[in-house]
Amino acid sequence: MFFLGIAIHGFLLRRVASSATPSAERWAQLNQTVGGRLHTSLPLAASCFSTVNGIPSTPNATECALVQQGYTKPDFRSVHYSAHMLPQWETCQSTVQRCLLNSDDPSDPTAWEDNECWQGAISPYYVDVQSEDDVLAAISFVNETGVQFSIKASGHDYKGRSSFGSLSLWMRNLDSLSYSAEFVPEGGNVTYPAITIGAGVPFEDVYSFAEDNNITVVGGYHQTIAASGGWVQAGGHSILSPIYGLGVDRVLQYKIITLDGVSRTVNAFQNPDLFWALRGGAASTFGVVLESSMLVEPQMSLRVASISFNQTADNARGFLEILVNNSYKWGQEGWGGHMGPASLINVNPLLTLEEAQASVQSAVDYALAQNGTAVVEDLSSWQTFFAKYVESAEAGVGVQTILGSRLIPTDPFFTDDDGQKALVDLMVKMVDTYAVNPYIIQGTPFLYNYTEGTTSVTPAWRNSLWQIGFHENMAYNATLDTMYAQYEIVNNITSWMRELAPNSGAYFNEANPYEPDHEVTFWGDNYATLLELKNKYDPFRLLDCWMCVGWKGAADERYSCYLDISTDY
Ligand SMILES: Cc1cc2nc3c(=O)[nH]c(=O)nc-3n(C[C@H](O)[C@H](O)[C@H](O)COP(=O)(O)OP(=O)(O)OC[C@H]3O[C@@H](n4cnc5c(N)ncnc54)[C@H](O)[C@@H]3O)c2cc1C
Ligand SMILES: *[C@@H]1O[C@H](CO)[C@@H](O)[C@H](O)[C@H]1NC(C)=O
Ligand SMILES: *[C@@H]1O[C@H](CO)[C@@H](O)[C@H](O)[C@H]1NC(C)=O
Ligand SMILES: *[C@@H]1O[C@H](CO)[C@@H](O)[C@H](O)[C@H]1NC(C)=O
Ligand SMILES: *[C@@H]1O[C@H](CO)[C@@H](O)[C@H](O)[C@H]1NC(C)=O
Ligand SMILES: *[C@@H]1O[C@H](CO)[C@@H](O)[C@H](O)[C@H]1NC(C)=O
Ligand SMILES: *[C@@H]1O[C@H](CO)[C@@H](O)[C@H](O)[C@H]1NC(C)=O
Ligand SMILES: *[C@@H]1O[C@H](CO)[C@@H](O)[C@H](O)[C@H]1NC(C)=O
Ligand SMILES: *[C@@H]1O[C@H](CO)[C@@H](O)[C@H](O)[C@H]1NC(C)=O
Ligand SMILES: *[C@@H]1O[C@H](CO)[C@@H](O)[C@H](O)[C@H]1NC(C)=O
Ligand SMILES: *[C@@H]1O[C@H](CO)[C@@H](O)[C@H](O)[C@H]1NC(C)=O
Ligand SMILES: *[C@@H]1O[C@H](CO)[C@@H](O)[C@H](O)[C@H]1NC(C)=O
C-alpha cells in the first residue's frame, strides 16, 4: 500500500484538484519501476515549523538546526532536493506561500514562530534519477497521466525553471566523470580531448577532477552549478570564454532522452538538428540530458588581477571609466573576469606576469589611491585560482535574489567616446538611483573563432564584450507589495539597458525573469527553428518552463505562482 505523509496528503488534496490526479496505485507502480527511488518532498525548512501545509506538525529541532547551519551554503543546498539556490523558487510568490528562514540570520526564530510552512513551488514527488530507465519510466508516466513535471539538477535557476509540477526528476546523483584524450563523437571521424560529465555533477567536482587529470575545463563561476544541466544548454559563460568560447561552443556530444521517449546520442554527426538546439535553445525544453562531453584544454597557468577598494559616492565613476576605457584592450589581450564599481577579479592565460601587471596598472593605481588592495600574480591552474578567489567571491545563495542583465555590444560601447560615456552614465545611474551595483562579466567569446551557425544562442553573444547584470535581494519575509516594488526596480534598470542597446540581447540563464519580447532577446533569429525542433522532439508538449521555447504562456496554470507583471511576453 502506498503511503503518503499526512502533511503531503492534505497538500495534494488542495493543490491538484484541477490537475491530473493519478491514483495511489499508479504512483506506487511508478515507484516500483524506478526501483523505489520515488520520494515525497516537503520544503527544506519544514522541520522548523509547527504548521506544515495547513496541518499541525511536530518540529524536529535536530533537523531544523542542520538546515539553519547549511542555509546559505551552496554545498548543503545542492544535495537537498527541496533546496534551490534562490529560495523564491521554493515559494509561491503570487500567494506568498512559503517556508523560508531568515537568510540574514537563519537562527532567527521569528521565521518559524510567526509563519506557517507551505509547499510553494516544491514538487511533492520526485524521482532520484540514477539511470536512463528511470527517465524513460517517468516520461512514460507523465505522458500517460498528464502530470506536470520539472527537471532539477542543482537548483541554480534564476527563473524558476527547475521548480513546479507534481513530479520532478532530480538529476543530482548522476555523478559520473571521465576523461579521454581521444574522444570520438559517436558516428564521427574526429578525435578530441574531452571530459564526459553526468547530469548532476557540480563544477567544483569537475574542476578538481580536471586538476587531477592535468587538464583545464572551461566552466562557470560557482561551485555547485551543474555543468551538463542548465548552464551548458543555454550558453554557459566562463571567464575563460573570451579565448576558449562558451559552453555551447565546446560541447561535443549529449546523451539525452527526448520527450518522444527515445534515447539519443546527439552530436555534429548524428541528430545534428537537435545538437544545434541543445547548443543554446536551453534546458528542460527538448528532453532530459543524461550527460554531456566537452572539449578540454591542456593544464594552463593564469595571471590573476584582484583589485578592490571601499566604494563611495565619489569614487565609483572613476573606476567604471577605467574599466570601460580599458576593456577593449583587455579583451584583445585575452582577459576575462568579473568587475564592479570598486572591484575586479580578472584572469589571463596569454600574457606574461610583467605584461599583465602593465596591462592593469591604471586600475591598480586607482584602487591604491583609494587605500584599496591590488594583487597581480601567477597561479598554476584554474583549480588553484578557483579555490583561492572564486569560492569567497561567488554570488551568495539562500537569499531571494532577482537578476537582470544585458549583453553590451563592443561597438560603440568600447570603441567610441560617446558610446563609452553612455555606458558609464548608465552604470552610474544604477548606483545613484537605486544603489544597485552593476555586476560586469567579461565572459563573452570575444577572441573565440566562432563557426557561424553552429549554436542557437542569440547572435548578440558574438559581437558583445560584456554582460552587465545586477542583483536585487528580497527579504525572506517580503510582502507581496514589496516584491512587486522590487521587480519594478529590476524592470526599470533592464529597460534602461534595452534603451542603451536595443538591438542586442540577453543571456537566458541570467536575465530579468519578466523580460519582454523574450524570444528575440534570448534567441534572435534562431527562435523559429528552435520552435520547429521543440515540436519535433516534444510532440505532446510534456515539458514546459517559464519563457522556454514553445512554452504555454504566462496564463497557463503551471505559472500561477509567478507575479502578474505586465510586459509583452
Ligand atoms: C550563484 C550563481 C552563479 C552563477 N554563475 C554562472 C556563471 O558563472 N556562468 C553562467 O553561464 N551561468 C551562471 N549562473 C547561471 C546558471 O548557468 C543557470 O542558473 C543554470 O540554469 C543552472 O543550471 P543547473 O542545471 O545547475 O540548475 P537547475 O536550476 O537545476 O536547472 C536549470 C534549468 O536546467 C534544467 N535542467 C537541469 N538539468 C537538466 C537535464 N539534465 N536535462 C534537461 N534539463 C535540465 C532545469 O529544468 C532548469 O530549466 C549562475 C547562477 C547562480 C545562481
Ligand atoms: C518508494 O518505494 C520505496 C522502497 O519501497 C519506499 O521507501 C518509498 O517510501 C516509496 N516512495 C513513496 C513516495 O512512497
Ligand atoms: C529528527 O531529525 C533527525 C535528523 O534528520 C533524525 O535523525 C531523527 O530521527 C528525527 N527525529 C524524529 C522524531 O523524527
Ligand atoms: C569526416 O567525415 C566527413 C564526412 O562525414 C568528411 O567530409 C571528412 O573528410 C572526414 N574527415 C576525416 C578526418 O576523415
Ligand atoms: C504518449 O502517448 C501517446 C498516445 O497518447 C503515444 O502515441 C506516445 O507514444 C506516448 N509517448 C511516450 C513517450 O510514451
Ligand atoms: C601537464 O600538462 C602540461 C601542459 O600540457 C604539461 O606541460 C605537463 O608536463 C603536464 N604535467 C604532467 C605531470 O603530466
Ligand atoms: C575614459 O575615456 C574618456 C573618453 O575618451 C575620457 O574622457 C575619460 O577621461 C577617460 N577616463 C579615464 C579614467 O581614463
Ligand atoms: C588613505 O589613507 C591615508 C592615510 O591614512 C589618508 O590620509 C587618506 O585620506 C586616505 N585616502 C582615502 C581616499 O581614503
Ligand atoms: C573599508 O571598509 C572596511 C569596513 O568598514 C574597513 O574595515 C576598512 O578599513 C576600509 N578600507 C579602507 C581602505 O578604507
Ligand atoms: C583565431 O584564428 C586566428 C587565425 O587562425 C588565430 O591566429 C587565433 O589565435 C585564433 N584565436 C583563438 C582565440 O583561438
Ligand atoms: C521581516 O523580518 C525581520 C527580521 O525578523 C523583521 O524585522 C521585519 O519586521 C519583518 N518584516 C515583515 C514585513 O514581516
Ligand atoms: C520605474 O520607472 C517609472 C518610469 O520612469 C517610474 O514612474 C517608477 O517610479 C519607477 N519605479 C521605481 C520603483 O523606481
Side-chain angles (χ1 to χ4, degrees), residues 136 139-141 143-144 258-262 540 542:
L136 288 167
I139 290 178
S140 157
F141 174 85
N143 188 49
E144 176 198 317
T258 43
L259 296 153
D260 51 3
V262 180
F540 295 94
L542 299 187

Side-chain angles (χ1 to χ4, degrees), residues 139-424:
I139 290 178
S140 157
F141 174 85
V142 300
N143 188 49
E144 176 198 317
T145 61
V147 157
Q148 298 200 344
F149 88 112
S150 54
I151 308 165
K152 184 196 176 212
S154 73
H156 266 260
D157 201 66
Y158 279 109
K159 289 195 170 80
R161 292 177 300 149
S162 48
S163 302
F164 304 105
S166 303
L167 175 65
S168 180
L169 301 189
W170 189 38
M171 311 305 285
R172 178 65 176 80
N173 293 316
L174 288 178
D175 57 2
S176 61
L177 271 173
S178 64
Y179 167 62
S180 168
E182 295 182 335
F183 175 82
V184 184
E186 206 175 291
N189 57 4
V190 191
T191 65
Y192 305 87
I195 184 172
T196 296
I197 307 170
V201 185
F203 269 122
E204 58 190 350
D205 293 358
V206 173
Y207 297 151
S208 63
F209 179 85
E211 179 86 355
D212 292 347
N213 284 278
N214 199 34
I215 53 175
T216 305
V217 174
V218 174
Y221 206 73
H222 198 280
Q223 292 162 258
T224 50
I225 300 168
S228 292
W231 181 82
V232 62
Q233 294 174 59
H237 65 69
S238 166
I239 60 176
L240 295 175
S241 294
I243 298 170
Y244 302 104
L246 297 170
V248 288
D249 294 321
R250 304 182 59 81
V251 65
L252 299 168
Q253 177 166 292
Y254 289 101
K255 292 222 166 122
I256 185 173
I257 316 281
T258 43
L259 296 153
D260 51 3
V262 180
S263 174
R264 298 171 195 269
T265 299
V266 176
N267 57 44
F269 305 91
Q270 52 188 43
N271 301 300
D273 61 346
L274 183 55
F275 188 48
W276 177 82
L278 292 170
R279 297 175 85 179
S284 56
T285 302
F286 304 98
V288 183
V289 166
L290 298 169
E291 65 178 41
S292 73
S293 301
M294 294 180 195
L295 179 65
V296 301
E297 298 297 322
Q299 185 68 280
M300 63 179 80
S301 66
L302 296 169
R303 263 53 61 205
V304 180
S306 172
I307 297 172
S308 71
F309 57 91
N310 285 345
Q311 185 175 345
T312 66
D314 298 326
N315 66 16
R317 185 175 185 106
F319 195 67
L320 290 169
E321 281 191 9
I322 287 174
L323 300 184
V324 171
N325 290 9
N326 282 281
S327 276
Y328 188 79
K329 179 190 72 143
W330 288 343
Q332 288 179 315
E333 291 168 341
W335 289 98
H338 288 216
M339 303 181 272
S343 67
L344 68 75
I345 300 180
N346 290 1
V347 299
N348 190 311
L350 302 182
L351 299 179
T352 65
L353 183 59
E354 291 68 30
E355 288 166 343
Q357 283 163 334
S359 171
V360 298
Q361 194 60 47
S362 57
V364 169
D365 290 345
Y366 192 90
L368 296 180
Q370 305 302 316
N371 292 336
T373 59
V375 176
V376 183
E377 65 173 329
D378 199 4
L379 292 179
S380 59
S381 68
W382 172 262
Q383 166 70 18
T384 312
F385 162 72
F386 195 81
K388 180 164 181 183
Y389 286 102
V390 182
E391 285 172 16
S392 54
E394 63 192 12
V397 305
V399 184
Q400 302 197 94
T401 303
I402 318 168
L403 205 69
S405 70
R406 196 152 184 92
L407 294 164
I408 305 299
T410 306
D411 186 20
F413 299 108
F414 300 93
T415 54
D416 169 284
D417 286 357
D418 291 341
Q420 290 176 331
K421 180 169 183 309
L423 182 56
V424 173

Side-chain angles (χ1 to χ4, degrees), residues 242-243 447-449:
I243 298 170
L447 292 180
Y448 179 73
N449 289 319

Side-chain angles (χ1 to χ4, degrees), residues 47 58-64 66:
S47 58
T58 308
N60 180 331
T62 314
E63 181 122 8
C64 176
L66 290 173

Side-chain angles (χ1 to χ4, degrees), residues 22 48 101 104 187 194 250 327 352 356 392 398 420 437-438 475 494 498 502 505 537:
C48 300
L101 301 187
D104 292 337
R250 304 182 59 81
S327 276
T352 65
S392 54
Q420 290 176 331
N437 274 342
T494 43
R498 277 193 300 275
Y537 290 104

